Amino acid sequence: MTKKVLSAIDLGISNQMVNPDAMNVIRKLQQQGFDGYIVGGGTRDLLLSKKPKDFDIVTNATPEMVKKIFKRNSIIIGRRFKIVHVVFDNLNFSRIINNRPAMEKHIIEISTYRSLKINQHSLNEYGKIMVDNNYGTQKDDATRRDFTINALYYDPIKEVVIDYHDGIKDLKKKMIRLIGDPEKRYIEDPVRILRAIRLSVKLGLDIEASTANYMEEFKPLLVHEHRSRMYEEMLKILLSGSSSKCIQQIKDFDLPKEVFMLFDRLFLCDNPDALSLRVLEKTDERLQTENAVSTIFILASLMWNMVNNSYQKLLPSGESPHQALMEAIFQNRGYANEIGITKNAYSAMTDVWLLQYEFENPTLRKIDRTLGNSRFRQSLHLYNLRNEFGEVDSKLNEWWNSLVESTDPEEKLTLIDNLKKVFQSSKPKKTRKKKAIPEHKRLDKAR
Ligand code: ATP
Ligand code: MG
């Protein structure tokens, strides 16, 4: 393993391509006498002429020292390995809310070089690393990273890239190669199998032979992974911009069912869920055109048919439709928890589902409340998607979209006036069943 120091400019990258907040963090670290490099996806994607999702920074300063530099704008997080989040509040001039640019938080993650020393008592019964707060040198850190192309250290101030494992060669060959002995590296952390699949699909790279060969052997280890880690991996796949292809690859790879229960239920079976396939397609399209996507919309849409099936079963029970929907949402809570969806996320998804009812049953009284709901956008996306599948009244769907798109107050009022017409012509007339009056009440009435 020889350290190579290469000119960034010769490799076709420069600090002009780096996010200003990331530059700010690196400058401050270096001014205090510490290292500050971009590593991982940030450097890799720049070198592949792709726009990095984020810029992860690495330093020789401990988390506590980093915290001292960035003070109140930073927090130390993580248990398995402590890292620091530096938070920037930025104005987004392309998103205007109430005539003002929206305030958005941008987080830059800073980690400290990892050490090669792993205590035996930090490993669990399967040989997996559990506690990992030993700090090391840049060289150690490089050896601890997963793939050679993810172990490239870019200093955007000196404009150099440091390469210990021939990552640049592999990038040129468009190859994903594990650092070290694949057998050992997969036992240490089987999630690297999923990372190899995701990165190869997302970046259009091949997986080098021995890195690929051992994937098959060690995939059963993935069933022991903690559900929150698998949930994170599931989100990374959904947000990769190539989710359809990634899931197809996972299907071909024949992972144990328990690894991605939601994918298994929706896509890996003989009869995939058509609405969910469309969600993947739409999300990929948006990400490839650099449009924002919402995790809550994606999850709520993927689980919609489960909730809707429970809802349809509950409807004849005599409860009000709104109550039946609430009950259906409640019934699916356990499943959501099993696949790692947090209580907060499920509560946001609940809002998206409940708004479906409001879209389908609008009343003049509730329109404003519906429009002002913080989950309105995500819910409307799901409602539109259901319209594509003929699940909702298309006239009413058109009405909602016109109402949202209209910027003219007069036109809005006319649309609201029209609601009765649209709604009544589209809604199947309900014949209200007369409730039988219980015997004792009839007697009361007679008295
Ligand atoms: P993405 O574009 O999806 O963010 P990434 O490679 O940056 O891809 P991250 O999860 O952000 O993925 O990880 C940042 C870096 O941390 C990786 O590039 C790699 O160097 C290292 N890393 C992440 N996960 C592992 C792992 N399981 N084992 C070893 N190194 C890892
Ligand atoms: Mg990253």
Side-chain angles (χ1 to χ4, degrees):
M1 182 177 64
T2 45
K3 174 179 172 180
K4 295 191 184 81
V5 183
L6 308 154
S7 147
I9 309 293
D10 289 352
L11 293 169
I13 62 172
S14 81
N15 59 27
Q16 301 290 309
M17 302 166 179
V18 178
N19 171 278
D21 295 337
M23 280 305 290
N24 200 334
V25 166
I26 292 174
R27 211 172 282 121
K28 274 201 172 146
L29 285 169
Q30 294 194 4
Q31 276 164 2
Q32 298 296 317
F34 296 112
D35 287 0
Y37 289 89
I38 301 168
V39 71
T43 306
R44 178 198 68 215
D45 293 355
L46 284 182
L47 289 163
L48 286 168
S49 308
K50 303 211 184 238
K51 190 171 181 220
K53 195 174 77 187
D54 43 38
F55 289 94
D56 297 322
I57 290 171
V58 73
T59 181
N60 55 350
T62 63
E64 290 73 20
M65 292 167 181
V66 174
K67 175 95 185 78
K68 267 196 186 149
I69 301 174
F70 296 96
K71 300 193 177 74
R72 273 181 37 227
N73 298 331
S74 61
I75 49 166
I76 298 180
I77 61 155
R79 235 180 298 157
R80 194 175 145 218
F81 186 74
K82 281 195 218 163
I83 53 174
V84 181
H85 277 178
V86 181
V87 186
F88 292 85
D89 285 318
N90 295 333
L91 291 174
N92 181 350
F93 288 91
S94 50
R95 241 188 87 211
I96 306 292
I97 299 175
N98 294 337
N99 294 326
R100 288 201 199 121
M103 185 71 98
E104 281 175 359
K105 287 209 179 304
H106 180 218
I107 292 175
I108 298 277
E109 201 169 285
I110 309 177
S111 44
T112 306
Y113 294 142
R114 292 180 188 206
S115 152
L116 280 177
K117 280 181 250 132
I118 303 162
N119 298 331
Q120 270 315 304
H121 66 258
S122 311
L123 304 177
N124 77 356
E125 59 190 295
Y126 308 108
K128 191 180 148 63
I129 304 165
M130 301 308 284
V131 188
D132 196 10
N133 275 326
N134 286 322
Y135 306 118
T137 60
Q138 188 181 61
K139 191 173 159 197
D140 290 351
D141 185 87
T143 308
R144 290 285 307 274
R145 295 198 173 258
D146 47 4
F147 308 115
T148 61
I149 57 169
N150 282 348
L152 295 163
Y153 297 78
Y154 173 32
D155 179 339
I157 293 174
K158 297 192 192 74
E159 291 290 21
V160 291
V161 173
I162 300 179
D163 181 5
Y164 293 89
H165 295 280
D166 283 336
I168 294 286
K169 254 193 202 164
D170 285 337
L171 264 187
K172 285 187 179 151
K173 283 196 251 171
K174 298 209 162 286
M175 191 76 91
I176 296 189
R177 183 196 307 271
L178 267 175
I179 294 170
D181 171 18
E183 211 170 336
K184 188 171 151 254
R185 302 303 313 276
Y186 285 141
I187 293 175
E188 236 175 44
D189 185 2
V191 170
R192 291 171 184 150
I193 296 171
L194 301 174
R195 291 180 54 85
I197 297 177
R198 173 168 53 84
L199 291 176
S200 78
V201 173
K202 172 176 152 174
L203 303 168
L205 309 175
D206 288 328
I207 305 177
E208 176 270 336
S210 71
T211 302
N213 287 343
Y214 284 99
M215 284 167 54
E216 185 63 35
E217 184 179 340
F218 291 109
K219 69 183 180 187
L221 287 182
L222 282 165
V223 300
H224 305 298
E225 278 305 316
H226 195 273
R227 84 175 83 156
S228 61
R229 180 109 192 265
M230 294 322 297
Y231 173 69
E232 290 300 324
E233 279 310 307
M234 176 181 84
L235 289 189
K236 283 189 178 183
I237 291 171
L238 290 170
L239 300 172
S240 65
S242 313
S243 63
S244 302
K245 269 198 206 160
C246 245
I247 290 173
Q248 184 55 47
Q249 198 72 24
I250 285 174
K251 193 170 183 172
D252 298 344
F253 184 57
D254 203 16
L255 273 180
K257 274 183 178 315
E258 304 87 328
V259 178
F260 287 126
M261 283 193 341
L262 183 67
F263 290 167
D264 194 73
R265 184 159 173 175
L266 296 174
F267 309 113
L268 311 182
C269 47
D270 293 335
N271 200 6
D273 183 280
L275 187 130
S276 297
L277 283 172
R278 187 80 186 102
V279 174
L280 299 186
E281 229 175 76
K282 280 191 99 145
T283 307
D284 288 348
E285 252 170 50
R286 284 185 71 87
L287 286 165
Q288 271 151 24
T289 48
E290 288 182 25
N291 275 303
V293 294
S294 145
T295 311
I296 295 300
F297 159 75
I298 299 171
L299 293 173
S301 305
L302 295 184
M303 276 193 69
W304 167 249
N305 275 331
M306 290 172 215
V307 170
N308 195 26
N309 283 343
S310 312
Y311 176 50
Q312 299 303 330
K313 278 188 201 142
L314 286 163
L315 269 179
S317 71
E319 281 181 288
S320 78
H322 192 263
Q323 256 177 331
L325 182 55
M326 295 274 279
E327 175 63 24
I329 294 170
F330 186 77
Q331 284 183 0
N332 284 279
R333 215 180 40 154
Y335 178 78
N337 177 42
E338 244 178 283
I339 60 173
I341 295 178
T342 59
K343 272 191 188 155
N344 280 349
Y346 200 68
S347 145
M349 289 157 71
T350 297
D351 287 347
V352 173
W353 293 323
L354 289 178
L355 277 179
Q356 301 306 307
Y357 179 83
E358 303 302 333
F359 287 136
E360 289 177 67
N361 300 278
T363 59
L364 287 177
R365 200 168 48 87
K366 287 208 245 159
I367 290 176
D368 276 345
R369 213 188 316 154
T370 304
L371 288 170
N373 190 300
S374 62
R375 295 287 164 198
F376 178 81
R377 284 273 154 196
Q378 287 103 318
S379 314
L380 185 70
H381 282 316
L382 173 57
Y383 179 53
N384 288 343
L385 208 62
R386 293 175 58 218
N387 183 47
E388 276 184 37
F389 285 81
E391 221 184 89
V392 299
D393 188 294
S394 58
K395 259 196 187 163
L396 190 55
N397 177 267
E398 206 182 307
W399 180 86
W400 274 107
N401 281 288
S402 312
L403 185 68
V404 177
E405 280 154 25
S406 161
T407 45
D408 174 13
E410 287 276 317
E411 190 189 2
K412 267 197 167 155
L413 281 178
T414 321
L415 275 165
I416 291 175
D417 275 350
N418 278 347
L419 172 66
K420 252 189 174 163
K421 246 190 273 162
V422 178
F423 190 43
Q424 279 178 351
S425 65
S426 62
K427 198 177 177 185
K429 281 221 166 67
K430 268 190 193 162
T431 42
R432 247 188 153 188
K433 262 194 213 159
K434 267 195 182 162
K435 266 193 180 169
I437 302 172
E439 190 74 9
H440 66 282
K441 284 204 174 159
R442 261 189 254 164
L443 287 175
D444 278 348
K445 248 187 169 176
R447 262 181 234 144

